[in-house]
Amino acid sequence: MTAERDETIKWRSLIIPIYGPTILISIGMGAVVPLIALSALDLGATVAQAAVVVGLIGMGQLAGDLPAGALAQRFGEKPVLLAACLVEAAAMLVASRTDSLAVLSIAVFVSGLASAVFGLARHAYLSEAVAAHFRARALSTLGGTFRIGSFIGPFVGALLVEQFSIGATYAFAACMSLAGGLLSLTLPSLPGVAPVSPADTAERPPGLWSVLARHRRVLLTLGVGVLLISAARATRQSIVPLWAESQGLDASTVSVIFGISAGVDMLLFYPGGAIMDRFGRMWVALPAMIVLGAGFLLLPLTSSAVAIGLVACLMGLGNGISSGIVLTLGADVAPDEGRRQFLGGWRLCADLGNVTGPGLISLITLAFPLGAAAIALGAIAWFGAGWLARWVPAYAPSPAEERVTAG
């Protein structure tokens, strides 16, 4: 009982240095992301080119995942967090001032790189700072703060565009990144972890590729599971508005549907973490994928705003309760030696799902109607549920096993 109390106090001491920067930066990026395509169009891009520019955020995250692990291993989480915030702020300032499509594209890509580094450093820090019996709640809260910021951001962006300009929104995002970097300076050092010194060459840390090769089995099994989770989440955000538009709903109605669904999503991040800590990771991973799959399969049966809204809320339920599952599973299976490099590979699996998931919609709809794409995605989500049912118990310890190990 005392240990739980002490660990809870320790976790609360991280609210400002860990969760504060996350919510600030996600508000800033949430304000910017809906406007990137418009910025590209204003600079002379075609619709296809504008879509590519938006996709450069995800490409930057993919490119940055593995180097992020190496950087965190080399310099430690605190300097890397600060550097990522400064780089992202610089990219947003450049985007706010440029009149070149190429420069905007580079800035968006660099922002994705910085986001990967920032996300890896937070993940690695919390994986070590918080005890296993409280890990899921801590990491689900991290996912929840990102959701809250992403929900608030677009409203702030709309206000700034109305009062000033799109450039002012990028400048606002830069200020949020700088504020996040300043808050990161308050991050306490991990107990028992000495700072890395360039002069320390007697015991060289394991290399990135050796760590990934050593743990390739978990990346090719459980890692595929998190890829499927990420793909289901990302396609949910794409297919619901596409289906709503195909049924004749206007943009304002779609926005209301998304807002309500996001509200359901945000309410469930902490309960999801509590369930994982108390009962085990399977009690969230499996229901979340089943619910998301059901939402995909039900979507082609809807035509009215109410029906589409109800399905969107169902999918928001599945997405919200799974907040932090990818981070938590990664922390569960990360090795003590080479933890940061391993988490870089782990996050690469998740980001591959984020990028390839929406691409499946485009690929399927080349030959089939949108409803067929929804059915295919539902089948993939349910396949993912079966895959997770096979591999989560093999790697993620149950709460009873954690208590025995701690004892």
Side-chain angles (χ1 to χ4, degrees):
M1 181 70 178
T2 303
E4 176 73 21
R5 176 179 169 82
D6 291 343
E7 194 56 51
T8 301
I9 293 171
K10 181 181 179 181
W11 172 69
R12 287 173 179 170
S13 72
L14 299 175
I15 290 175
I16 292 178
I18 284 288
Y19 301 117
T22 301
I23 196 167
L24 289 175
I25 292 171
S26 59
I27 287 173
M29 292 309 297
V32 162
V33 169
L35 303 175
I36 292 175
L38 298 179
S39 299
L41 292 172
D42 287 344
L43 295 175
T46 64
V47 172
Q49 289 171 334
V52 170
V53 173
V54 175
L56 286 173
I57 294 181
M59 296 305 296
Q61 290 173 335
L62 280 176
D65 283 328
L66 295 182
L71 286 171
Q73 179 66 42
R74 179 69 179 81
F75 298 105
E77 285 86 2
K78 189 172 179 177
V80 166
L81 282 169
L82 178 60
C85 291
L86 293 176
V87 169
E88 187 167 72
M92 290 295 97
L93 282 176
V94 169
S96 73
R97 304 286 296 176
T98 187
D99 56 0
S100 165
L101 181 61
V103 174
L104 175 67
S105 301
I106 293 170
V108 171
F109 181 79
V110 170
S111 175
L113 286 173
S115 176
V117 175
F118 184 82
L120 183 282
R122 290 176 310 169
H123 190 185
Y125 184 92
L126 275 180
S127 297
E128 295 189 48
V130 179
H133 66 268
F134 205 81
R135 178 181 292 155
R137 277 167 285 182
L139 290 169
S140 293
T141 301
L142 182 63
T145 55
F146 175 80
R147 284 165 164 77
I148 293 170
S150 298
F151 177 73
I152 296 172
F155 296 102
V156 177
L159 179 63
L160 288 171
V161 170
E162 182 180 351
Q163 297 295 323
F164 302 101
S165 66
I166 291 180
T169 308
Y170 287 103
F172 169 76
C175 292
M176 291 294 99
S177 295
L178 286 174
L182 291 176
L183 280 184
S184 297
L185 292 175
T186 65
L187 193 68
S189 299
L190 288 168
V193 178
V196 180
S197 170
D200 292 338
T201 56
E203 293 186 10
R204 298 183 63 86
L208 171 65
W209 298 111
S210 67
V211 170
L212 297 181
R214 190 182 311 156
H215 301 283
R216 61 186 178 276
R217 187 171 185 271
V218 66
L219 292 171
L220 293 173
T221 53
L222 194 56
V224 171
V226 304
L227 186 153
L228 294 170
I229 292 173
S230 298
R233 288 171 165 179
T235 49
R236 158 188 165 265
Q237 293 183 334
S238 301
I239 200 166
V240 171
L242 289 174
W243 181 258
E245 190 276 337
S246 73
Q247 301 304 304
L249 273 62
D250 58 31
S252 61
T253 303
V254 174
S255 296
V256 170
I257 289 172
F258 248 77
I260 295 172
S261 175
V264 173
D265 191 330
M266 287 189 298
L267 289 174
L268 295 171
F269 65 84
Y270 191 84
I275 291 170
M276 284 191 278
D277 277 332
R278 185 171 179 83
F279 300 106
R281 315 320 188 201
M282 274 293 295
W283 287 86
V284 160
L286 196 58
M289 291 298 278
I290 291 173
V291 168
L292 284 169
F296 286 123
L297 294 173
L298 289 171
L299 192 62
L301 304 178
T302 63
S303 58
S304 67
V306 173
I308 295 172
L310 289 173
V311 171
C313 287
L314 177 67
M315 298 174 82
L317 171 68
N319 192 66
I321 201 170
S322 70
S323 174
I325 183 65
V326 171
L327 300 175
T328 302
L329 288 173
D332 287 339
V333 298
D336 291 333
E337 185 180 33
R339 178 187 300 271
R340 298 167 181 86
Q341 296 101 316
F342 174 85
L343 289 177
W346 183 263
R347 295 178 70 88
L348 180 64
C349 292
D351 284 337
L352 280 171
N354 290 331
V355 172
T356 59
L360 285 174
I361 299 175
S362 300
L363 186 63
I364 294 171
T365 53
L366 288 175
F368 301 98
L370 187 60
I375 293 171
L377 292 167
I380 291 171
W382 280 1
F383 170 78
W387 187 272
L388 291 164
R390 167 65 180 87
W391 293 109
V392 170
Y395 289 107
S398 69
E401 291 171 336
E402 288 178 351
R403 285 192 290 270
V404 170
T405 303

